[in-house]
Amino acid sequence: MKNKFTTVEITMMAVFAAILCVSAYLSIPTPLPNAAHITLLNFMIMLIALVFEVRDSTIIVALWMILGAVGVPVFAGFSGGIGSLFGNAGGYIIGFLVGALVMWGMEKVMGRKTWALAVQMVVGLIVCYAFGTAWFMIMYTRSAGPVGLVTVLGWCVFPFIIPDLIKIVVALGLTKSLKKVLPIMQ
C-alpha cells in the first residue's frame, strides 16, 4: 500500500465524496416512522467500496461522515449534525462504514469474481442492517420506550430489502465499467 496520494487520487476521492453527499438527496420518502427514505447512499458506498482501494474508500466514507457530523446536511432527509449520528438512524450511518469494511475484508479472502462481489455486497448490507437495527432499538427504547425486533425490522429493514438488492445488481454492473473508464481506480 502506498503512503502518498497522487493529485489524481485526491481529486477522484473528492469527486466521489461529493457524489456520496449528493446521493443522500436522491431519495424517495416513505410513510414509515422516523422519516425513513430510500436513498442512493448505500448504493454509492457499495460502489465506492468495490471500485477504490480500502484506504481510499475509508477516507471517502469517513469524509462524508465528518461533513455530516459537523452539520453539513449530507445524510438522508437533508439532515446533518452530530445529533444525526446519535439519533435513531445513526447506527445505519455508522453501519455503512462497518459494512464497507467487512466487504473489503471479504474481498481479500474471496477475490473479485462477480459472484464473490455479489456475496460481499449482500453480507456488507446485512452487517449494515444488523448494526443499524441494534442501534435503532437502543436509541428508540431510550427515547420512546421498548420496541420489538420485528417492529423495528418492519420499519427499518423489510421495506428496503428489494430496493437494496436492486442497488447491488446495478453496482455490480457499474463496478467493472468504472474501472475500465477510470483506470486510476485499480
Side-chain angles (χ1 to χ4, degrees), residues 16-29:
F16 273 82
I19 292 170
L20 182 56
C21 291
V22 170
S23 71
Y25 298 144
L26 305 173
S27 67
I28 301 168

Side-chain angles (χ1 to χ4, degrees), residues 8-48:
V8 173
E9 287 172 327
I10 292 170
T11 303
M12 292 307 301
M13 291 186 328
V15 166
F16 273 82
I19 292 170
L20 182 56
C21 291
V22 170
S23 71
Y25 298 144
L26 305 173
S27 67
I28 301 168
T30 68
L32 299 168
N34 302 301
H37 297 268
I38 296 173
T39 70
L40 292 180
L41 281 169
N42 56 352
F43 165 76
M44 280 308 302
I45 289 172
M46 285 185 248
L47 193 63
I48 289 165

Side-chain angles (χ1 to χ4, degrees), residues 114-129:
T114 302
W115 69 268
L117 294 175
V119 168
Q120 293 160 24
M121 286 194 282
V122 168
V123 171
L125 184 62
I126 290 169
V127 168
C128 181
Y129 282 161

Side-chain angles (χ1 to χ4, degrees), residues 7-180:
T7 303
V8 173
E9 287 172 327
I10 292 170
T11 303
M12 292 307 301
M13 291 186 328
V15 166
F16 273 82
I19 292 170
L20 182 56
C21 291
V22 170
S23 71
Y25 298 144
L26 305 173
S27 67
I28 301 168
T30 68
L32 299 168
N34 302 301
H37 297 268
I38 296 173
T39 70
L40 292 180
L41 281 169
N42 56 352
F43 165 76
M44 280 308 302
I45 289 172
M46 285 185 248
L47 193 63
I48 289 165
L50 294 174
V51 171
F52 286 89
E53 293 180 11
V54 175
R55 173 196 69 172
D56 298 352
S57 302
T58 304
I59 290 170
I60 293 167
V61 175
L63 177 59
W64 166 72
M65 291 175 69
I66 291 166
L67 287 170
V70 298
V72 179
V74 295
F75 300 143
F78 297 95
S79 64
I82 197 76
S84 296
L85 293 175
F86 292 104
N88 289 350
Y92 293 100
I93 296 169
I94 296 165
F96 286 142
L97 183 59
V98 175
L101 289 169
V102 168
M103 287 171 53
W104 298 315
M106 290 178 68
E107 180 184 323
K108 296 296 179 201
V109 174
M110 299 173 70
R112 296 197 52 83
K113 292 184 174 80
T114 302
W115 69 268
L117 294 175
V119 168
Q120 293 160 24
M121 286 194 282
V122 168
V123 171
L125 184 62
I126 290 169
V127 168
C128 181
Y129 282 161
F131 196 89
T133 300
W135 183 284
F136 185 96
M137 287 185 72
I138 292 166
M139 300 311 285
Y140 189 89
T141 298
R142 283 184 171 172
S143 64
V147 63
L149 177 61
V150 173
T151 300
V152 173
L153 290 173
W155 291 343
C156 302
V157 176
F158 297 148
F160 302 99
I161 291 173
I162 291 175
D164 288 344
L165 291 175
I166 291 169
K167 293 173 200 176
I168 286 172
V169 170
V170 174
L172 273 172
L174 286 177
T175 298
K176 292 187 192 256
S177 298
L178 279 175
K179 282 199 169 243
K180 288 177 186 172

